Amino acid sequence: MIRQLVEAGVTVSIGHTDSDYDQAREAIQLGITHATHCFNAMRQLEHRNPGPLAAIVQAEQVLGELISDGVHVHPAMMDILVRMLGPQRTIVVTDALAGAGIADATFEFAGQQARVICGAARLSDGTLTGSVLTMDQALRNMLEITHVSLSEVSSMLSFNPARSAHVADHKGLLKVGYDADLVIYDRSLQLQATICRGQISYATDAWRQRLNIQ
């Protein structure tokens, strides 16, 4: 099935798995090129039982996701993962839920009540669920926690996911012929405006005045 999907042009991902190292290697050899939520709901990386993450790191064609809220993955392990995969193979994601960006929010997730507690979304029994991370905060977290540069983080949030989704021929770069999707930050990396396919979809009041839009 994996090979058939790959031959049909579908990106096949490994993740949330209890597969061991050998099973993961076998699956990757069939054509897997993406890893969902590295470390999370995944067999641990151990020195005598390396698990799927070791196979992911060794396979240069596989790009790995990182939820960069500092909760799903410890900050030290965030940096280690980027060092193992390299900036060219790391994809930063939010895994955000309905409570994203809202302090102390209460919302429904998969039929269960979830609450935002200390910057994390948790079910009533305390189980960590999806995040409340926003993409702009993900960028700032990566710069604060890991060793990468702003240009490298930008690729992790844009071009790398476009590559994995097979849309890098028109997404993820500021280039002639590409969709004009971009975000504008100030010097403190606070979001000022968002442009989607050349159209302004969000702007602060200051930028609306600057761009002379209503």
Side-chain angles (χ1 to χ4, degrees):
M1 177 61 74
I2 292 175
R3 195 178 298 279
Q4 292 172 336
L5 290 170
V6 171
E7 290 175 351
V10 177
T11 298
V12 181
S13 181
I14 185 172
H16 295 251
T17 176
D18 192 41
S19 63
D20 61 25
Y21 172 74
D22 292 326
Q23 290 170 329
R25 276 178 56 88
E26 181 180 353
I28 289 170
Q29 289 169 0
L30 291 174
I32 285 174
T33 57
H34 189 99
T36 299
H37 302 174
C38 290
F39 291 116
N40 299 124
M42 183 180 289
R43 185 177 292 205
Q44 295 182 2
L45 178 66
E46 299 178 359
H47 65 298
R48 291 194 181 94
N49 182 18
L53 192 57
I56 291 165
V57 170
Q58 289 180 323
E60 294 185 358
Q61 73 275 22
V62 179
L63 281 70
E65 290 182 359
L66 172 63
I67 302 175
S68 61
D69 60 357
V71 178
H72 279 76
V73 179
H74 188 281
M77 297 306 290
M78 287 174 54
D79 185 57
I80 287 172
L81 181 69
V82 177
R83 291 178 185 274
M84 290 192 300
L85 291 178
Q88 295 76 27
R89 292 175 55 200
T90 304
I91 295 176
V92 174
V93 298
T94 64
D95 194 35
L97 301 178
I102 306 173
D104 301 321
T106 299
F107 58 96
E108 183 176 302
F109 173 71
Q112 302 180 70
Q113 188 178 72
R115 286 190 58 199
V116 178
I117 302 174
C118 298
R122 297 187 181 276
L123 300 179
S124 58
D125 63 358
T127 300
L128 185 66
T129 182
S131 88
V132 290
L133 181 67
T134 57
M135 194 62 82
D136 58 330
Q137 186 59 50
L139 181 146
R140 292 189 288 270
N141 287 350
M142 291 298 294
L143 290 174
E144 179 181 348
I145 292 170
T146 73
H147 65 287
V148 295
S149 67
L150 179 58
S151 62
E152 289 172 329
V153 175
S154 177
S155 291
M156 293 181 202
L157 274 69
S158 57
F159 186 58
N160 290 358
R163 287 169 52 208
S164 188
H166 304 303
V167 294
D169 60 338
H170 64 282
K171 292 283 189 183
L173 294 176
L174 294 178
K175 187 176 179 180
V176 174
Y178 277 59
D179 294 341
D181 301 331
L182 63 149
V183 293
I184 300 171
Y185 293 94
D186 62 17
R187 292 183 181 275
S188 62
L189 296 179
Q190 298 300 314
L191 181 64
Q192 301 299 307
T194 302
I195 299 175
C196 297
R197 298 188 180 186
Q199 301 296 315
I200 297 171
S201 59
Y202 167 79
T204 62
D205 290 341
W207 267 84
R208 286 184 176 277
Q209 293 178 3
R210 186 171 182 174
L211 298 172
N212 193 28
I213 57 178
Q214 300 299 317

